[in-house]
């Protein structure tokens, strides 16, 4: 994330805190991000130099006036006016990180060689929450190259219990 996206996200988060609307603003940002993912040309339009600011701002009002808090629309307009719409995704990530920290929710990326069952996912989440003492928001990925086991990335650390790592460790010992 760039310094610009961090500063904008922090400003919006501070406003949300003042109004007690952290969750609502976060949901609004998520909604807009989802819309941009589904319609990438809309974001390109908002970043375009060929479209006037007035048209862009009117487009934002028309698209979101009934769906978002007024302050989130103003935030989008500010990004648009200052030609920082390309920073929107970074703003959402930073805002989400601040909200997760406030709610004591920590993201965890879990990589496995095969798709985990729902029971395995639930058991793993329970163990991670018990070990960390925090609520865990997992994302799961499948990477056949790890051969077996799991790789868990959480709170800035990596727990690699993959078969690929164990085989590499054995190889390193043999090579000595």
């Amino acid at each position: 994330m760039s310094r610009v996206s961090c500063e904008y996200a922090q400003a919006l988060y501070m406003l949300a805190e003042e109004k007690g609307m952290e969750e609502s603003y976060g949901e609004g940002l998520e909604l807009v991000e989802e819309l941009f993912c589904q319609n990438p040309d809309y974001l390109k339009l908002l970043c375009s130099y060929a479209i006037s600011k007035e048209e862009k701002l009117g487009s934002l009002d028309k698209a979101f006036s009934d769906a978002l808090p007024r302050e989130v629309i103003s935030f989008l307009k500010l990004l648009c006016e200052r030609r920082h719409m390309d920073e929107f995704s970074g703003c959402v990530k930073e805002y989400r990180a601040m909200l997760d920290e406030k709610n004591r929710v920590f993201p965890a990326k879990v990589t496995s060689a095969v798709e985990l069952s729902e029971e395995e996912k639930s058991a793993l989440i329970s163990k991670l929450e018990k070990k960390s003492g925090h609520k865990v928001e997992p994302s799961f990925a499948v990477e056949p190259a790890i051969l077996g086991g799991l790789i868990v990335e959480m709170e800035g650390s990596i727990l690699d219990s993959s078969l690929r790592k164990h085989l590499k460790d054995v190889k390193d010992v043999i090579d000595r």
Side-chain angles (χ1 to χ4, degrees), residues 1 3 8 22 32-33 36 63 75-76 84 87 93 96 105 107 112 126 141 150 161 165 176:
M1 284 174 276
R3 188 184 106 263
Y8 277 101
E22 299 95 337
V32 174
E33 184 176 47
F36 287 165
F75 176 75
L76 292 171
H84 289 301
E87 298 285 343
K93 286 179 185 145
R96 187 180 304 129
V105 175
S112 59
S126 293
L150 297 171
S161 66
K165 180 182 182 309
R176 286 187 191 167

Side-chain angles (χ1 to χ4, degrees), residues 129-162:
E129 288 179 343
K130 185 176 180 180
K131 182 176 173 129
S132 69
H134 307 293
K135 182 169 175 19
V136 173
E137 186 71 35
S139 63
F140 294 93
V142 175
E143 179 65 44
I146 70 170
L147 305 175
L150 297 171
I151 300 173
V152 179
E153 300 173 52
M154 190 170 110
E155 296 185 68
S157 62
I158 299 173
L159 171 64
D160 189 344
S161 66
S162 66

Side-chain angles (χ1 to χ4, degrees), residues 75-137:
F75 176 75
L76 292 171
K77 288 179 172 182
L78 181 64
L79 288 176
C80 202
E81 287 174 346
R82 301 257 172 100
R83 301 206 180 273
H84 289 301
M85 280 305 293
D86 56 336
E87 298 285 343
F88 179 75
S89 180
C91 292
V92 175
K93 286 179 185 145
E94 181 65 22
Y95 188 95
R96 187 180 304 129
M98 288 184 279
L99 191 57
D100 285 348
E101 187 173 322
K102 176 195 177 254
N103 293 331
R104 309 279 301 151
V105 175
F106 291 91
K109 181 179 177 193
V110 179
T111 306
S112 59
V114 295
E115 184 72 31
L116 298 176
S117 70
E118 290 305 314
E119 295 82 28
E120 291 169 325
K121 288 178 180 179
S122 293
L124 178 61
I125 293 167
S126 293
K127 286 182 182 178
L128 291 173
E129 288 179 343
K130 185 176 180 180
K131 182 176 173 129
S132 69
H134 307 293
K135 182 169 175 19
V136 173
E137 186 71 35

Side-chain angles (χ1 to χ4, degrees), residues 163-175:
L163 183 55
R164 178 178 64 188
K165 180 182 182 309
H166 290 297
L167 291 173
K168 181 188 175 307
D169 292 346
V170 169
K171 180 186 176 289
D172 291 346
V173 168
I174 292 171
D175 285 346

